[in-house]
Amino acid sequence: MTVKDVGTLLQDFIEMAEGHIVAEGLWREKPVDLVTFFSSKDFLGEKPFPGKQTELLEVCNQILWWKMTGDEALCPEELRTVTEVAAMFGKGSGKDFLASGILAYVAYLLCCMNDPHKHFGFGQDEPIDLVNVAINAYQANNVFFKKLKARLNNCPWFKRVNSEPTSPNEFQLTKNQIRFYRNITAHSAHSEADSFEGFNPLVVIFDEIGGFEYENAEDAYSTFRSSASSRYNDKMLLIFISYPRSEQDFMYKKYKEYLKGDPEVFGMIGKSWEVNPTIKRESLQKDYERDPEGSAMRYECIPPKYSEGLFQFPEKIDEVVVVGKKAQNNDLIIQTKITNRTLHDGQ
């Protein structure tokens, strides 16, 4: 045997050993980070805007990698307890773009794993679900789901399908589901559904939850959270992305939990032009002149005190009321009037 033959055998042995290590480790294929997944031509090829969009993706990336690997170097300490992300972004900030890309990325991470079921302590081929919850059926099927399909159909990594039906990168499209290998499924649900039971949800995105009827939002949240936490413990992630409709809606409730220091909730807020720099504040002037309160709500995430209240500006009432005075209008006549009335019992 020549020296060259020995070198070839040694190289073959090294390659076999490396292949065995990969097969036994967490990753079948080492995945890229979330921002690279969005921007690289090998994946989505759609660069997010700098600023708030990129910041949200970087935070989600750190949280997801911590949950998948447990590597402290990949995630700051304050994000390791997070199970919910509340992104309160104004209208036109690309919320569907972000939601569909994040859901596609989680599917990609799971497909890069050697054995995602073993990682989460599941039996072989137990369902692992990724769910987007939209405000209604039309939004679920004709807006978000179309965008998610577009993300996958135009992603070269997901198009690397071999002839074998068990190819790790294969996915199948149905009416409101996308099925990946090993029973990993992305679902498009909506807030008007009869029930949210029956899922094994690892990641759930609540798209425009500020517009949900509060009872529907509470029902969807409590069902999905209990299903996720009972199956994945702290490896689950719920993402709320919306602008608020009032200080009593579910989106604002979640953001307030972050402001109050809930260690499981991370929050971000961004005006439309802060998240999407192609939107110019001056181009919205007519909207502000026609409906200043509604425009502040939609574009700046400043909610009215009450949803569809009787008074559009209730704070004006407080400004003219002085405690201790019977009347602040000198022309107002106040009289004490006593009336007598006979009750049905004769009194």
Side-chain angles (χ1 to χ4, degrees):
M1 182 177 290
T2 66
V3 174
K4 183 177 180 180
D5 292 335
V6 172
T8 301
L9 285 172
L10 181 60
Q11 183 62 36
D12 289 344
F13 175 78
I14 292 172
E15 290 177 358
M16 288 175 62
E18 288 178 344
H20 179 71
I21 292 171
V22 170
E24 293 298 322
L26 177 63
W27 303 115
R28 175 187 57 83
E29 175 181 336
K30 184 67 178 292
V32 299
D33 65 87
L34 180 53
V35 176
T36 302
F37 182 79
F38 264 78
S39 57
S40 171
K41 291 182 179 179
D42 294 330
F43 299 95
L44 300 187
E46 298 188 50
K47 191 171 179 62
F49 292 121
K52 299 284 186 177
Q53 271 197 359
T54 300
E55 287 173 24
L56 176 63
L57 295 179
E58 288 172 344
V59 167
C60 289
N61 179 72
Q62 292 170 324
I63 293 170
L64 286 168
W65 275 77
W66 163 252
K67 292 181 182 299
M68 297 293 181
T69 68
D71 188 342
E72 294 182 353
L74 300 176
C75 182
E77 185 175 357
E78 64 270 17
L79 293 179
R80 294 175 199 163
T81 58
V82 170
T83 58
E84 300 179 2
V85 173
M88 201 157 65
F89 287 172
K91 189 173 184 178
S93 55
K95 294 185 286 292
D96 284 327
F97 164 70
L98 293 168
S100 60
I102 291 171
L103 215 63
Y105 180 70
V106 178
Y108 159 72
L109 282 179
L110 294 172
C111 288
C112 283
M113 284 183 164
N114 274 312
D115 193 343
H117 295 81
K118 181 180 179 180
H119 179 70
F120 294 116
F122 283 6
Q124 288 296 316
D125 290 331
E126 280 286 310
I128 297 176
D129 296 320
L130 316 173
V131 187
N132 182 83
V133 188
I135 192 169
N136 53 44
Y138 177 85
Q139 190 76 12
N141 297 322
N142 294 290
V143 179
F144 173 82
F145 201 58
K146 283 185 177 180
K147 292 191 177 185
L148 179 58
K149 288 192 289 186
R151 300 285 93 79
L152 297 172
N153 283 327
N154 291 283
C155 178
W157 192 89
F158 278 106
K159 292 170 71 175
R160 281 168 24 196
V161 180
N162 299 326
S163 57
E164 297 87 354
T166 57
S167 169
N169 304 338
E170 185 178 60
F171 63 92
Q172 298 175 333
L173 299 172
T174 65
K175 183 180 178 181
N176 56 4
Q177 293 180 348
I178 299 177
R179 296 173 181 168
F180 304 89
Y181 88 121
R182 291 186 177 176
N183 209 9
I184 298 165
T185 307
H187 303 264
S188 188
H190 60 88
S191 68
E192 297 169 349
D194 293 333
S195 175
F196 304 103
E197 297 285 1
F199 291 98
N200 284 348
L202 173 63
V203 173
V204 183
I205 299 178
F206 297 89
D207 189 6
E208 288 300 348
I209 193 169
F212 291 17
E213 291 291 335
Y214 191 88
E215 289 185 1
N216 291 347
E218 182 66 49
D219 183 32
Y221 168 74
S222 60
T223 303
F224 278 121
R225 180 170 177 91
S226 60
S227 296
S229 58
S230 62
R231 290 164 173 80
Y232 304 95
N233 297 304
D234 59 357
K235 288 185 170 65
M236 65 162 186
L237 183 61
L238 308 182
I239 301 175
F240 309 87
I241 184 163
S242 178
Y243 65 84
R245 272 58 168 188
S246 79
E247 288 191 359
Q248 285 74 46
D249 74 23
F250 206 83
M251 183 69 234
Y252 203 72
K253 172 188 175 183
K254 280 295 155 190
Y255 187 70
K256 283 192 292 186
E257 289 176 7
Y258 159 69
L259 294 179
K260 291 177 181 177
D262 188 326
E264 289 199 42
V265 183
F266 173 83
M268 287 183 67
I269 186 170
K271 300 172 183 177
S272 297
W273 49 87
E274 292 176 337
V275 185
N276 180 353
T278 66
I279 297 175
K280 304 301 180 185
R281 168 62 178 83
E282 51 270 23
S283 68
L284 305 173
Q285 187 58 36
K286 193 169 184 177
D287 289 34
Y288 276 86
E289 291 174 355
R290 180 185 57 83
D291 182 7
E293 187 185 39
S295 296
M297 173 189 73
R298 285 186 286 272
Y299 302 123
E300 299 180 63
C301 298
I302 301 174
K305 293 289 183 183
Y306 300 96
S307 177
E308 299 178 359
L310 176 62
F311 298 103
Q312 190 174 16
F313 302 102
E315 65 275 9
K316 299 297 183 184
I317 299 174
D318 297 331
E319 291 175 7
V320 299
V321 172
V322 178
V323 177
K325 278 192 175 183
K326 289 186 176 180
Q328 283 128 264
N329 185 337
N330 294 328
D331 297 326
L332 182 63
I333 300 174
I334 299 180
Q335 295 177 329
T336 301
K337 186 176 181 180
I338 300 174
T339 61
N340 293 317
R341 185 179 297 179
T342 303
L343 304 180
H344 71 279
D345 59 358
Q347 295 184 42

